[in-house]
Amino acid sequence: MFSYNPKDWWKLIFYFHKADTFRKLLPAMAGVMVYTFFVSYLENEVLHFMPLKNPLAIHSLVGFVLSLLLVFRTNSSYDRWWEGRKIWGSFTNNSRNLALKLNAILPKGPENREIFRVLIGNYIHAVKDHLRGNVNHKHLEYVSNYDEAFYVDYKHTPNRIGQAIYLEINRLYKSGIINAEQLLILNNELSSFTDNLGACERIRNTPIPSSYNIFIKKMIFLYVFTMPLGFVLEFKYWAAPIVTLVFYAFAGIEMIAEEIEDPFGTDNNDLQLDSIVKNVKVNLEEIFRN
C-alpha cells in the first residue's frame, strides 16, 4: 500500500508513483489524443462538415449517466476495501484478546505460552498468504509437535493451524489447567478467527459481476471514441486535450475501482497486510513475555 500525507496537496499533484493511474493510462491517453487530432483534421481540413446544432447535447446526457454508473462502481469497490480493513482490525483485536486471556490463565512457565505465541502468529500469517494464494509452510514458525510435517498434507493451512490451536486448548482443558468457564471465555476469540477468514474469502472469491464490469468498459470506450465527432465541431483542435482529459477521468476511476475491489493483494492501494501481521506478532511477543 502507498503511504502518503493526504494534506500535502502539491506533492500529491505532481508525484507520479508506479501505481498512479496517470502513468498506467499514459499510452492509452496518447492514443486517444492522436485519434482526436486525426478526426479534427478530417472534419476541419478535409471533409468540412456543416456545424450541427447542440453537438454536445447527447454526450452531456450520456456522460451524466456514465458518471452515475462509475460512482456506484467505485462505492461498491470501496465498500469491499473498507470491509476487508475492518475484518483485519478484528483479526488484530481478537489475537490480542486471546493472547491476553491465555497469558492470564496459563500457569507460570514459557512452554505453553511459546506454543500459543507461535500458533496465533502463524494463523495470522497463513491467512495473509492464503488470501494472496502463495502459502508457503517454510514461512511459518515451528514449535513442539507442530513442525513442517504437521502442515505438509493440508491445502488450507489456516484451518490446519486453527485445528492446532483448538487441540492445544482442549489439551489444557483435559489436563485441568483451564476449567469450563475459562474455555467458554476463550471460545469467542477462537470462533472469530474462522468467521473473519470466511468473510475475507467471501470478498476475494466474489468479484464484481462480469456483465456489469464489461458494460462499464464498453460504455467508456463508446463514449470517448465518439466524443471527437461532436467536440471537434465546437472546439476544433482543442478537442484533443479535452477528450483526453475526459478519458483520463473516466478510465482512471474504473482502474481505481478494479484495484481496490480485491484489497488483499500486493498492489499499492491494497491493505498493508504485511505491516498488520508484523504488528500482531510483535504484540504477541510482548504479551507472552510476562
Side-chain angles (χ1 to χ4, degrees):
M1 184 175 178
F2 175 59
S3 298
Y4 66 99
N5 179 8
K7 298 181 180 179
D8 195 348
W9 278 55
W10 291 109
K11 183 177 180 180
L12 294 176
I13 291 172
F14 294 106
Y15 179 64
F16 301 103
H17 56 87
K18 65 180 181 180
D20 189 84
T21 53
F22 183 86
R23 290 182 59 177
K24 291 182 178 180
L25 289 172
L26 191 57
M29 290 167 60
V32 170
M33 181 170 287
V34 170
Y35 165 74
T36 308
F37 265 120
F38 177 70
V39 174
S40 299
Y41 175 78
L42 285 180
E43 290 200 9
N44 293 305
E45 306 297 338
V46 179
L47 301 177
H48 300 290
F49 286 159
M50 293 296 293
L52 303 174
K53 291 184 178 180
N54 299 323
L56 309 181
I58 296 178
H59 278 85
S60 298
L61 179 61
V62 176
F64 174 73
V65 176
L66 183 57
S67 298
L68 293 180
L69 287 173
L70 288 172
V71 167
F72 178 77
R73 170 81 164 96
T74 305
N75 286 345
S76 299
S77 296
Y78 183 77
D79 285 344
R80 294 161 61 90
W81 186 93
W82 183 240
E83 184 182 1
R85 183 60 187 90
K86 290 192 292 184
I87 293 170
W88 273 88
S90 178
F91 267 130
T92 301
N93 294 338
N94 290 329
S95 63
R96 290 169 178 167
N97 285 331
L98 181 59
L100 288 168
K101 291 176 181 179
L102 285 170
N103 188 61
I105 292 172
L106 292 175
K108 292 184 178 181
E111 181 179 354
N112 289 324
R113 286 175 170 79
E114 181 66 9
I115 291 175
F116 283 109
R117 181 193 69 79
V118 171
L119 289 178
I120 297 172
N122 279 349
Y123 187 86
I124 301 300
H125 191 108
V127 169
K128 179 202 69 173
D129 289 348
H130 172 72
L131 294 174
R132 293 177 175 177
N134 61 352
V135 175
N136 188 341
H137 300 150
K138 298 186 183 299
H139 295 164
L140 304 176
E141 292 185 67
Y142 302 134
V143 62
S144 187
N145 297 326
Y146 308 109
D147 54 8
E148 186 174 2
F150 181 78
Y151 303 106
V152 70
D153 293 327
Y154 287 80
K155 294 182 179 180
H156 201 292
T157 304
N159 277 350
R160 185 59 167 163
I161 301 173
Q163 183 183 29
I165 296 175
Y166 271 102
L167 288 173
E168 285 299 311
I169 295 292
N170 188 58
R171 179 181 64 82
L172 294 176
Y173 174 68
K174 287 187 174 181
S175 62
I177 297 177
I178 62 175
N179 55 40
E181 289 78 10
Q182 292 169 332
L183 184 62
L184 290 174
I185 291 173
L186 296 174
N187 186 62
N188 290 333
E189 279 71 31
L190 296 173
S191 299
S192 71
F193 282 164
T194 303
D195 293 340
N196 288 336
L197 174 58
C200 289
E201 290 177 332
R202 170 175 49 81
I203 294 174
R204 187 197 62 177
N205 298 329
T206 312
I208 299 296
S210 59
S211 58
Y212 183 76
N213 209 336
I214 293 171
F215 176 75
I216 289 182
K217 288 177 170 57
K218 288 181 177 178
M219 285 298 299
I220 292 175
F221 176 83
L222 292 174
Y223 182 80
V224 171
F225 278 84
T226 56
M227 281 184 70
L229 302 179
F231 273 52
V232 297
L233 299 175
E234 186 76 20
F235 300 108
K236 305 299 181 182
Y237 287 101
W238 282 104
I242 294 174
V243 172
T244 303
L245 181 61
V246 172
F247 170 75
Y248 170 65
F250 284 160
I253 292 173
E254 172 63 12
M255 287 187 65
I256 293 171
E258 285 179 352
E259 188 169 327
I260 67 175
E261 71 179 3
D262 181 7
F264 307 122
T266 57
D267 293 329
N268 276 30
N269 289 313
D270 288 333
L271 297 174
Q272 292 180 315
L273 298 189
D274 291 322
S275 298
I276 294 175
V277 171
K278 182 179 179 181
N279 183 54
V280 168
K281 289 184 176 181
V282 170
N283 293 157
L284 293 174
E285 290 179 0
E286 292 179 344
I287 291 171
F288 283 118
R289 185 185 304 165
N290 299 317

